[in-house]
Amino acid sequence: MSFIWFIIIGLLAGFIAGKLMRGGGFGWIVNLIVGVLGGVLGGWVFSLFGLGSSSIIGSLITSVVGACLLLWIVGIISRNSHG
């Protein structure tokens, strides 16, 4: 997959995950970071179950799942650190 597709999928995944997990996005830069990190995390989690995808739609789904997981983990950590 080319670098441009990686960025586009990261933006979309971060945006979708922001809408699903908190009801709103965080802006393009943070959405991109969350989406890209989510793609890496999602790819790792899916590989633990023997799943993988080489299509753009599969990569987007993997990235969204990973980004949602990342936001969930960050939410737990921030909740625990505030009291």
Side-chain angles (χ1 to χ4, degrees):
M1 181 180 341
S2 73
F3 184 71
I4 299 297
W5 277 115
F6 193 69
I7 296 297
I8 291 170
I9 288 174
L11 279 170
L12 286 172
F15 178 77
I16 293 168
K19 293 288 187 187
L20 290 174
M21 296 302 291
R22 291 197 164 168
F26 301 103
W28 291 105
I29 300 297
V30 178
N31 283 347
L32 173 64
I33 293 168
V34 168
V36 170
L37 291 176
V40 172
L41 180 63
W44 177 72
V45 169
F46 277 40
S47 71
L48 291 176
F49 295 106
L51 301 172
S53 175
S54 60
S55 71
I56 292 174
I57 299 298
S59 297
L60 179 62
I61 292 169
T62 301
S63 295
V64 169
V65 169
C68 286
L69 184 61
L70 178 65
L71 290 174
W72 179 68
I73 291 169
V74 168
I76 288 174
I77 291 170
S78 67
R79 230 178 294 139
N80 287 340
S81 68
H82 291 299

